[in-house]
Amino acid sequence: LYGIEPLKRLCADAACRELSIENAAVVLAAAESYQVTQLRSTCISFMVSHFADVVRTEAFKQLMTKESSGLVVAFLEEASSKLSLGERPTRHF
């Protein structure tokens, strides 16, 4: 409708390039809200890789609301499955 999909892809590509520990939870929420599957997947993978740092951010704390509980559960399930398969989260010192 209205040729919005190419614009969504451009925005998703830009969001992926700018993904950071501080904004990953916000970008994940936006990806979920606008149903941008690839961006959602990229965010979850990034958040799993940087788990210890991401869960300490204010953005992640805000994600932990009742409205976003399903998204948080999906992220934690993905993190759990990847971490149990031997992937180790990246730590920044």
Side-chain angles (χ1 to χ4, degrees):
L1 185 72
Y2 305 112
I4 200 95
E5 288 306 313
L7 180 58
K8 278 174 64 174
R9 277 193 300 277
L10 285 173
C11 291
D13 290 345
C16 284
R17 286 191 303 274
E18 298 298 321
L19 201 56
S20 70
I21 288 167
E22 291 300 320
N23 72 13
V26 173
V27 175
L28 175 62
E32 181 74 10
S33 178
Y34 294 106
Q35 301 173 350
V36 185
T37 311
Q38 184 59 40
L39 180 57
R40 181 183 184 278
S41 176
T42 299
C43 285
I44 288 177
S45 292
F46 179 89
M47 290 171 70
V48 168
S49 294
H50 300 89
F51 185 85
D53 295 320
V54 169
V55 297
R56 291 185 180 103
T57 65
E58 189 60 38
F60 188 80
K61 290 174 189 166
Q62 291 176 2
L63 189 65
M64 300 284 295
T65 63
K66 193 175 207 175
E67 297 82 29
S68 298
S69 62
L71 183 55
V72 173
V73 168
F75 161 66
L76 292 174
E77 287 174 347
E78 181 79 15
S80 174
S81 69
K82 288 188 177 195
L83 292 173
S84 67
L85 292 175
E87 290 185 22
R88 297 287 182 232
T90 305
R91 291 211 51 149
H92 298 280
F93 295 99

